[in-house]
């Protein structure tokens, strides 16, 4: 794998832990967790890995400002704001969903980290992002667009390197299970797996999009990642494993699937999940174990992608406080 330009932010390798009590409670595969919630940048998460490559690209392009977009409680925006602060960029966040009643969790952290926030809604998000970008350009703020979810081929490549890191940790999981949304994490993982001969299956639990569409996106992005890493190769959507059985209630909507998972991981292992991403993916993992999707002799690695600051958002506290 060729070495792409990179800055060093993340605390790597992230630890892997065996979840013995959860494993025996569920009676299924041996469950491990890889702690990308502990990547070290302003409460961490999977975007920190991507930002190591995105910030390097921004620097090389002579940018002065990082601009990106996401939901009000976006983990990606929070980590981008932190990376901007650390490397001396200004940061503009185009946040969709309207200004919340109270300044909490990721939104609070965005402000502490010095980001300039522009409000939009989901339907005009991309237009407002473009407009804001052009405005920054016209003021000579030299914006670099950090793509949605950090999921350009450059950002996603970080997770190909993460496969190398995992293999060096000498755990050979039969499965990697994690939340998938903009698809960059999964595209990087599958590209890395093919490049390095990693044999485990890589199952993304979709947080908000139907599997058919998401597989096409991920296959396309994985093909771009692998060519960026020096190998011309193509991924077919049929080899991308995505399960979207749990995303029907909508993005960020807590149901018994997420609340049970959050409670179980907390009470069996002292491990905190987030309400939007890892709560849903762990809920899917638990459900699939109960449906005998895995063999009891398998090893499943749950890749914790972060997001825990959202636990403190008012809208989730109301529900989570009751369990
Ligand atoms: C962004 C995010 C994801 C999804 O990662 P993608 O690369 O966009 O698919 C998963 N979990 C958390 C906590 C995130 O913030």
């Amino acid at each position: 794998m060729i070495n792409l330009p990179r800055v060093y932010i993340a605390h790597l390798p992230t630890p892997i832990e065996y979840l013995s009590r959860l494993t025996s409670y569920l009676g299924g595969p041996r469950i491990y967790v890889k702690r990308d919630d502990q990547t070290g940048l302003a409460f961490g998460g999977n975007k920190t890995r991507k930002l190591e490559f995105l910030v390097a690209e921004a620097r090389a392009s002579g940018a002065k400002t990082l601009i990106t977009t996401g939901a009000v409680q976006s983990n990606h925006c929070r980590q981008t704001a932190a990376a901007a602060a650390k490397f001396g960029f200004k940061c503009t966040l185009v946040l969709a969903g309207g200004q919340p009643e109270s300044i909490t969790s990721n939104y609070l952290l965005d402000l502490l980290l010095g980001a300039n926030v522009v409000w939009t809604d989901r339907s005009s998000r991309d237009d407002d992002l473009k407009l804001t970008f052009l405005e920054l350009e016209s003021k000579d703020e030299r914006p670099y667009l950090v793509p949605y979810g950090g999921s350009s081929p450059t950002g996603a490549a970080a997770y190909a390197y993460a496969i190398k890191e995992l293999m060096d940790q000498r755990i050979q999981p039969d499965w990697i299970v994690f939340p998938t949304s903009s698809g960059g994490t999964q595209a990087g993982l599958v590209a890395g797996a093919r490049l390095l001969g990693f044999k485990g299956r890589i199952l993304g639990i979709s947080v908000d999009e139907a599997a058919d569409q998401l597989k096409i996106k991920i296959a396309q992005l994985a093909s771009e990642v692998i060519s960026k890493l020096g190998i011309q190769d193509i991924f077919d959507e049929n080899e991308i494993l995505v399960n979207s059985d749990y995303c029907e209630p909508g993005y960020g909507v807590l149901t018994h699937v997420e609340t049970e998972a959050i409670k179980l991981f907390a009470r069996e292992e002292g491990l905190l999940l987030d309400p939007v991403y890892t709560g849903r993916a762990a809920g899917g993992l638990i459900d699939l174990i109960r449906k005998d999707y895995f063999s009891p002799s398998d090893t499943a690695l749950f890749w914790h992608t972060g997001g825990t600051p959202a636990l403190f958002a008012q809208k989730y506290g109301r529900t989570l406080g009751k369990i």
Side-chain angles (χ1 to χ4, degrees), residues 208-239:
D208 48 8
E209 194 175 343
D212 290 355
Q213 295 156 29
L214 194 50
K215 283 179 186 179
I216 294 170
K217 264 196 217 166
I218 292 170
Q220 168 72 33
L221 185 53
S223 306
E224 292 171 56
V225 170
I226 205 164
S227 75
K228 206 170 175 64
L229 293 171
I231 310 277
Q232 287 299 326
D233 208 350
I234 294 289
F235 286 83
D236 186 279
E237 68 218 53
N238 295 315
E239 59 189 315

Side-chain angles (χ1 to χ4, degrees), residues 23-311:
T23 296
S24 63
Y25 179 90
L26 293 168
R30 293 168 63 78
I31 305 170
Y32 287 80
V33 64
K34 184 155 171 66
R35 301 290 307 272
D36 276 20
D37 57 320
Q38 302 287 316
T39 47
L41 179 71
F43 293 120
N46 63 342
K47 306 309 182 302
T48 301
R49 285 190 193 264
K50 299 177 182 184
L51 283 159
E52 291 197 332
F53 297 89
L54 294 165
V55 166
E57 195 172 83
R59 268 189 162 176
S61 75
K64 281 204 299 205
T65 305
L66 303 185
I67 174 172
T68 196
T69 188
V72 180
Q73 288 300 347
S74 164
N75 303 302
H76 163 65
C77 288
R78 180 242 313 156
Q79 288 161 89
T80 301
K86 189 167 174 62
F87 289 92
F89 295 94
K90 290 187 185 172
C91 181
T92 294
L93 302 175
V94 178
L95 297 183
Q99 198 161 1
E101 286 163 39
S102 54
I103 300 175
T104 58
S105 44
N106 283 317
Y107 173 47
L108 168 64
L109 300 175
D110 294 342
L111 299 181
L112 289 178
L113 292 161
N116 166 38
V117 173
V118 174
W119 294 104
T120 184
D121 52 48
R122 183 62 190 83
S123 57
S124 42
R125 187 187 76 193
D126 294 346
D127 289 342
D128 284 341
L129 180 64
K130 262 185 220 139
L131 277 177
T132 312
F133 185 93
L134 292 174
E135 220 172 275
L136 289 168
E137 251 184 349
S138 73
K139 292 190 210 146
D140 198 32
E141 299 286 356
R142 284 186 266 152
Y144 169 89
L145 178 65
V146 179
Y148 183 71
S151 289
S152 60
T154 300
Y159 271 89
Y161 295 100
I163 285 285
K164 167 90 172 51
E165 175 183 307
L166 171 66
M167 291 171 83
D168 288 345
Q169 287 174 305
R170 299 184 184 288
I171 295 217
Q172 293 176 8
D174 301 293
W175 296 89
I176 297 176
V177 181
F178 58 98
T180 186
S181 176
S182 69
T185 301
Q186 188 157 7
L189 290 174
V190 299
R194 184 176 292 173
L195 275 168
L196 299 165
F198 174 79
K199 293 283 178 275
R201 278 161 288 184
I202 295 171
L203 173 65
I205 307 288
S206 174
V207 167
D208 48 8
E209 194 175 343
D212 290 355
Q213 295 156 29
L214 194 50
K215 283 179 186 179
I216 294 170
K217 264 196 217 166
I218 292 170
Q220 168 72 33
L221 185 53
S223 306
E224 292 171 56
V225 170
I226 205 164
S227 75
K228 206 170 175 64
L229 293 171
I231 310 277
Q232 287 299 326
D233 208 350
I234 294 289
F235 286 83
D236 186 279
E237 68 218 53
N238 295 315
E239 59 189 315
I240 309 294
L241 296 178
V242 174
N243 178 318
S244 58
D245 290 352
Y246 309 96
C247 62
E248 204 178 313
Y251 175 83
V253 177
L254 276 175
T255 69
H256 72 279
V257 170
E258 295 81 26
T259 50
E260 189 201 7
I262 291 169
K263 187 167 94 175
L264 263 184
F265 274 65
R267 296 183 188 178
E268 296 299 317
E269 297 290 348
L271 181 62
L272 298 171
L273 303 176
D274 84 285
V276 181
Y277 296 93
T278 51
R280 183 159 287 178
L285 172 69
I286 292 165
D287 185 56
L288 291 171
I289 290 172
R290 289 181 177 146
K291 289 177 174 155
D292 296 326
Y293 180 83
F294 308 100
S295 152
S297 61
D298 281 349
T299 296
L301 179 87
F302 183 73
W303 206 307
H304 193 324
T305 47
T308 45
L311 282 174

